[in-house]
Amino acid sequence: MISENIKKCVLMLGLSVALSTGTTFAAQEGNDTESARQKLLDEAITLLDKVELNSPKSQVEVTRIREKLVKLKTIDATDDSDDNVPELMFSHQGGNSTSVSRANKAKRVSFYNSCKGLRNGDLLKQLRAEVSKHKSYDYTTARELVILGVDNHGGDVECVYTGKVWHVGTEVMPPAEMINIEHTWPQSKGAKGVAKTDIHHLYPTDSKANSIRGNHPFGLISDPNPKFNVGGSKGDGNVFEVRKQHRGNVARSMFYFATVYNQKIDEKQEQVLRKWHKEDPVDANEMARNDKVEALQNNRNPYIDHPEYVDMIDDF
């Protein structure tokens, strides 16, 4: 089934290319060639999402196809010149791309003041009401924002799991087989739709590490010789243990996701995440990343601003 779906995607891609270069196809009644082209692209992208969800091992190939489809979708069908390829939104923003207005800061202080004295369900409800209101992007754009912006430091991007660093610059996306995007909360466990592109839980990773983690829960591994052991992160095919430098980030990203999207974290995994949250406290880099994501999404991870909230909620 998976291979058949991929074949369908490739066929749709070919049809879209033909339509974008002027070949005439019989349009459905009431629609012109352009609307038929857009429909094909939308159907192909939807199908790719299903393929990626059901076959994590195909993620690299799926990502590459999706990028081509989205690029086709944003190019005017009547003009195939490079002038119509949209620039990344942060390419020419410089320092302004991560700025947070004084008004936003004041609003943030006011909101957190309203959380004082709240605990458990009341605190979760209040936080959800605030942080669930945010701007979202399509998946291709979200990947670009992470790799070329949020987690790009002078052209360098680091795998959060292995510590491997690539120099990719800030203008052109690297190949998907080089750098992938980790959904801290797995797609197959609920990171779909808007949740799939929420940058607060997306991080750059080495493709192999990304595949090894898959949709396995986070946990501790006692086996001295696990199947995967690179840069401090380990995987044994059942759980995935994150290197110490990223453990707190993972925990707070998971707590954020559970809060915003009203998802439950299983008890065993939650115990590990609470431990990691304390062992790896919020640092300057994580606070700076929170600012960057706010500048893009207009919301924040409250567990970075107020780590103490974790202890005020008994059950995620």
Side-chain angles (χ1 to χ4, degrees):
M1 178 64 71
I2 297 304
S3 60
E4 287 301 314
N5 285 342
I6 293 178
K7 289 178 182 177
K8 290 179 183 178
C9 292
V10 174
L11 176 59
M12 288 181 176
L13 177 59
L15 289 173
S16 301
V17 170
L19 283 168
S20 68
T21 54
T23 302
T24 301
F25 281 77
Q28 296 179 2
E29 184 178 354
N31 292 334
D32 56 15
T33 302
E34 175 63 17
S35 61
R37 171 180 176 272
Q38 291 295 323
K39 184 178 180 180
L40 279 171
L41 287 168
D42 289 337
E43 289 176 351
I45 291 172
T46 299
L47 193 55
L48 279 173
D49 288 340
K50 293 180 180 179
V51 172
E52 184 176 41
L53 185 63
N54 294 322
S55 182
K57 292 182 179 180
S58 300
Q59 189 176 52
V60 171
E61 291 79 6
V62 167
T63 298
R64 294 174 67 181
I65 296 174
R66 184 189 290 106
E67 288 175 345
K68 294 180 183 296
L69 289 170
V70 173
K71 186 174 182 180
L72 277 174
K73 189 175 180 180
T74 56
I75 298 176
D76 184 10
T78 62
D79 186 351
D80 59 359
S81 69
D82 290 339
D83 292 338
N84 286 323
V85 180
E87 294 181 341
L88 298 180
M89 62 176 293
F90 50 79
S91 294
H92 300 291
Q93 289 182 345
N96 293 331
S97 64
T98 60
S99 62
V100 179
S101 70
R102 292 182 179 179
N104 280 353
K105 291 180 180 179
K107 179 183 176 183
R108 184 195 317 158
V109 171
S110 176
F111 168 71
Y112 285 139
N113 283 338
S114 72
C115 293
K116 289 182 177 179
L118 299 180
R119 299 183 66 88
N120 296 316
D122 291 334
L123 179 56
L124 275 173
K125 183 178 180 180
Q126 182 77 345
L127 292 175
R128 184 176 300 123
E130 175 68 13
V131 297
S132 62
K133 302 172 184 176
H134 66 83
K135 181 177 180 179
S136 63
Y137 300 88
D138 63 79
Y139 186 50
T140 295
T141 300
R143 291 182 71 252
E144 292 173 345
L145 291 172
V146 170
I147 294 175
L148 298 183
V150 173
D151 290 305
N152 188 298
H153 304 280
D156 292 334
V157 177
E158 179 181 0
C159 170
V160 294
Y161 288 156
T162 67
K164 182 178 181 179
V165 176
W166 304 270
H167 184 74
V168 301
T170 58
E171 298 293 331
V172 180
M173 280 290 286
E177 57 265 31
M178 177 189 293
I179 304 177
N180 220 317
I181 290 293
E182 167 70 326
H183 292 77
T184 306
W185 192 289
Q187 296 181 64
S188 61
K189 302 295 184 180
K192 304 175 183 178
V194 173
K196 176 180 178 178
T197 65
D198 192 322
I199 300 173
H200 278 298
H201 85 113
L202 303 184
Y203 295 93
T205 57
D206 171 81
S207 294
K208 182 176 181 180
N210 182 285
S211 178
I212 292 294
R213 190 276 163 118
N215 65 357
H216 299 308
F218 294 110
L220 299 174
I221 295 175
S222 58
D223 185 350
N225 298 300
K227 295 179 180 178
F228 178 83
N229 187 354
V230 180
S233 293
K234 305 173 184 178
D236 64 1
N238 295 305
V239 299
F240 191 81
E241 181 177 334
V242 181
R243 65 179 183 142
K244 293 181 179 180
Q245 298 93 321
H246 191 61
R247 288 182 178 181
N249 307 61
V250 160
R252 289 178 283 276
S253 293
M254 291 286 284
F255 296 146
Y256 163 88
F257 193 99
T259 300
V260 173
Y261 300 104
N262 197 22
Q263 296 283 327
K264 296 295 294 183
I265 302 175
D266 66 272
E267 183 178 355
K268 186 175 181 179
Q269 185 174 201
E270 183 177 339
Q271 290 177 353
V272 173
L273 294 174
R274 286 181 180 276
K275 185 173 184 290
W276 288 358
H277 169 65
K278 292 184 180 298
E279 290 179 348
D280 178 28
V282 176
D283 57 25
N285 289 333
E286 192 175 3
M287 288 188 284
R289 190 182 199 274
N290 207 15
D291 288 342
K292 290 180 181 180
V293 179
E294 180 187 13
L296 296 169
Q297 290 193 176
N298 298 322
N299 78 331
R300 298 178 67 80
N301 183 338
Y303 303 108
I304 295 175
D305 293 329
H306 288 275
E308 70 276 12
Y309 284 172
V310 174
D311 287 335
M312 297 164 68
I313 297 171
D314 292 337
D315 182 15
F316 283 98

